[in-house]
Amino acid sequence: KPLFLKSSWHNQGAVHLDRAPKFIQTLLADMDEVDKRPNPSEQPQILWQKSLEPARAEYRRCHSTDGLWSDLKDVHAERAIRHIYDPVAGWIEVEALVKIDMDNVFAAGAMRNCFRLKMFPRHTSAIHIGDWSYAENFLGKMYIKQEIDNRAAVLEDVTMQMDCKQWADKFNLKASEKHTSARLDMIRISAIELVDRPDKPMLCCERFIE
């Protein structure tokens, strides 16, 4: 009946529609709004596209050559060994290609200096290696004091943080089972060894987060 009613009034033209009872005009206006809504069959696709927007924005930010990382395009690329720790599987080593500005301290803390670093993610396609628009922004951290064994301290930092991340994941699993909103997380870090340098320095490596 509503569809027939709508068709009947519309077919009679705007002049007759203006003379329709007020409740008829309101009903037809509401039905016009319904017509403007997305097709239910298209709704999942629209929601999916909207859900991708944060990921797309993060991808554009990580791969941006603007701002603080723009001058790294002029920095010499070098080989590195990435030491990745998993509390279950232990240590693994993977080769990496990095650009790091160790001539300028990006930030300094009480114990470590922080340097800007660009690196390709582990699963970057081979055809993209060497195209630095696919590299992502990281930070490399090295201990300042000479009396500290930097290599041992970096490996210990990575081990401790990834162990903490495992416990955070277990906590989140229990929280999910109890339907609570409490969540914990730790930044995933690894160790980067610059193997082509004479002293083969090692740094803690983590993604840059604005």
Side-chain angles (χ1 to χ4, degrees):
K1 289 183 178 179
L3 291 177
F4 173 77
L5 177 66
K6 179 179 179 182
S7 176
S8 298
W9 280 103
H10 280 192
N11 289 338
Q12 294 179 43
V15 175
H16 297 286
L17 183 60
D18 291 340
R19 297 205 306 258
K22 187 66 176 179
F23 80 93
I24 294 292
Q25 296 184 34
T26 302
L27 176 61
L28 293 177
D30 291 342
M31 294 178 70
D32 284 338
E33 289 300 318
V34 171
D35 287 345
K36 296 177 183 178
R37 296 175 186 173
N39 188 315
S41 63
E42 299 175 356
Q43 194 70 15
Q45 181 68 19
I46 294 174
L47 294 175
W48 171 247
Q49 291 296 329
K50 287 184 177 180
S51 70
L52 291 178
E53 289 175 3
R56 286 170 174 162
E58 179 67 10
Y59 180 88
R60 288 192 295 268
R61 184 192 66 77
C62 287
H63 294 78
S64 174
T65 57
D66 300 331
L68 295 172
W69 268 255
S70 61
D71 59 332
L72 286 184
K73 65 180 182 295
D74 300 323
V75 175
H76 175 70
E78 57 186 296
R79 293 187 311 118
I81 297 296
R82 190 175 184 186
H83 301 263
I84 301 172
Y85 175 75
D86 180 88
V88 177
W91 288 96
I92 63 170
E93 297 180 0
V94 294
E95 293 184 347
L97 189 64
V98 304
K99 287 189 175 185
I100 182 169
D101 180 15
M102 295 194 68
D103 295 329
N104 300 288
V105 176
F106 175 69
M111 299 183 65
R112 299 183 296 182
N113 283 332
C114 184
F115 305 94
R116 295 174 302 147
L117 166 71
K118 288 193 80 73
M119 179 172 60
F120 292 97
R122 283 184 62 192
H123 303 296
T124 302
S125 172
I127 63 174
H128 294 147
I129 297 296
D131 182 351
W132 289 94
S133 64
Y134 288 91
E136 297 183 358
N137 299 334
F138 288 81
L139 295 175
K141 300 178 180 180
M142 178 182 290
Y143 281 88
I144 301 172
K145 296 181 178 180
Q146 297 295 325
E147 59 268 25
I148 295 178
D149 184 343
N150 180 77
R151 183 184 183 91
V154 166
L155 294 176
E156 184 177 356
D157 286 344
V158 173
T159 302
M160 179 178 64
Q161 187 147 330
M162 296 309 296
D163 282 340
C164 290
K165 183 171 180 61
Q166 182 189 43
W167 283 108
D169 292 341
K170 291 182 178 181
F171 174 85
N172 294 338
L173 180 61
K174 288 295 183 181
S176 177
E177 292 173 354
K178 295 180 180 295
H179 305 288
T180 65
S181 59
R183 295 293 185 274
L184 295 174
D185 201 1
M186 302 291 292
I187 298 175
R188 186 179 299 276
I189 67 172
S190 57
I192 288 291
E193 183 181 6
L194 305 177
V195 293
D196 288 337
R197 302 197 179 211
D199 52 350
K200 295 186 179 180
M202 182 172 283
L203 303 89
C204 279
C205 180
E206 63 186 51
R207 291 182 182 274
F208 173 67
I209 300 176
E210 293 181 354

